[in-house]
């Protein structure tokens, strides 16, 4: 790699991810249903993956960090889908399939169903997840499945901004996950807004 990564910038993202994780965990006692519990499990998975991205970037393993981004996108869409779009029968079926180690369906289709379901609560939420999926599918598939661009990151020099982008993108996905839950559950947004401001500062500094 050419110009070295700035440790203080990576640390700001690490602290931000930790704060977002704690914010999500602070609502555990409010969980009342199996559906909410499953959605929380997906949030925990999302948080763990993003924490992993920070560590991988810190150790200059950029191709692996980008490979994890696909899993972060999937965790956000699947978690919110189970929380707000799937009916009870489907949720039970998904759990059963997962326990058997089987594939549980198309993320693209879930993104569309999720957008339709959320639009019934807030019209401006329509389409956001299809847009997220379409925007990232080619990019994240390249890295997740070991394309030429993905493997080249292990041997070529790249600007620090390339590494900072994956940190920003994955952190923003965590904020997206929590933001949708906060809005739909009518949770006070000020703690999340404060972390959003820190995110903006992390990107700029």
């Amino acid at each position: 790699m050419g110009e070295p990564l700035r440790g203080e910038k990576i640390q700001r993202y690490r602290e931000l991810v930790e704060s977002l994780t704690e914010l999500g965990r602070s609502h555990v006692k409010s969980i009342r249903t199996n559906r909410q519990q499953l959605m929380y499990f997906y949030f925990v998975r999302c948080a763990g993956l993003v924490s992993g991205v920070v560590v991988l970037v810190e150790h200059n393993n950029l191709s692996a960090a980008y490979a994890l981004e696909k899993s972060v996108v999937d965790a956000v869409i699947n978690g919110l889908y189970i929380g707000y779009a799937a009916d009870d029968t489907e949720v039970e079926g998904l759990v059963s399939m997962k326990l058997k180690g089987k594939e549980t369906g198309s993320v693209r289709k879930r993104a569309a169903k999720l957008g339709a379901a959320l639009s019934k609560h807030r019209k401006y939420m329509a389409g956001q997840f299809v847009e997220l999926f379409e925007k990232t599918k080619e990019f994240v598939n390249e890295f997740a499945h070991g394309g030429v661009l993905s493997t080249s990151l292990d041997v070529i020099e790249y600007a620090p901004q390339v590494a900072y982008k994956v940190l920003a993108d994955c952190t923003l996905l965590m904020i997206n996950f929590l933001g949708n839950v906060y809005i739909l559950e009518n949770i006070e947004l000020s703690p999340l807004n404060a972390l959003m401001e820190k995110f903006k500062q992390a990107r700029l500094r």
Side-chain angles (χ1 to χ4, degrees):
M1 191 177 73
E3 181 185 344
L5 297 173
R6 291 164 46 204
E8 69 275 11
K9 191 174 185 74
I10 295 174
Q11 183 60 24
R12 280 196 287 272
Y13 277 107
R14 175 181 285 107
E15 292 173 356
L16 182 54
V17 170
E18 289 173 351
S19 295
L20 288 164
T21 302
E22 287 305 310
L23 185 60
R25 288 177 174 169
S26 70
H27 299 288
V28 169
K29 292 182 179 179
S30 301
I31 293 174
R32 295 288 182 268
T33 66
N34 289 336
R35 180 189 294 271
Q36 291 173 335
Q37 185 71 62
L38 285 169
M39 182 168 63
Y40 174 70
F41 288 161
Y42 271 99
F43 172 75
V44 171
R45 173 174 172 76
C46 177
L49 289 167
V50 178
S51 295
V53 167
V54 174
V55 173
L56 289 167
V57 168
E58 184 176 33
H59 288 83
N60 296 319
N61 196 337
L62 194 57
S63 63
Y66 271 102
L68 280 187
E69 186 173 354
K70 181 180 190 304
S71 295
V72 176
V73 171
D74 288 355
V76 172
I77 292 176
N78 285 326
L80 292 172
Y81 177 79
I82 286 175
Y84 300 108
D87 60 35
D88 291 340
T89 301
E90 184 177 4
V91 170
E92 292 176 6
L94 290 172
V95 172
S96 177
M97 290 175 69
K98 272 295 185 185
L99 289 174
K100 295 176 182 177
K102 295 181 178 180
E103 178 57 50
T104 55
S106 165
V107 175
R108 169 57 171 89
K109 290 180 179 178
R110 286 187 192 159
K113 290 181 180 178
L114 176 59
L118 296 189
S119 68
K120 296 177 182 177
H121 301 276
R122 302 285 194 282
K123 287 186 177 181
Y124 63 83
M125 288 181 165
Q128 63 170 309
F129 294 102
V130 171
E131 181 179 348
L132 170 63
F133 180 84
E134 294 295 338
K135 181 180 178 181
T136 61
K137 68 176 182 179
E138 294 299 334
F139 178 71
V140 298
N141 280 338
E142 160 70 20
F143 288 99
H145 299 297
V148 174
L149 176 58
S150 170
T151 55
S152 69
L153 283 176
D154 293 325
V155 295
I156 66 172
E157 293 187 352
Y158 52 86
Q161 287 71 24
V162 179
Y164 299 149
K165 184 178 187 303
V166 72
L167 289 174
D169 288 350
C170 289
T171 303
L172 188 58
L173 284 165
M174 276 189 78
I175 293 172
N176 182 301
F177 198 138
L178 286 174
N180 279 280
V181 173
Y182 268 52
I183 290 169
L184 292 167
E185 300 295 338
N186 295 313
I187 300 172
E188 171 56 47
L189 281 167
S190 55
L192 187 58
N193 287 338
L195 292 178
M196 186 64 188
E197 288 301 316
K198 289 186 177 181
F199 170 75
K200 291 177 181 178
Q201 291 301 314
R203 292 185 69 179
L204 292 173
R205 295 166 62 184

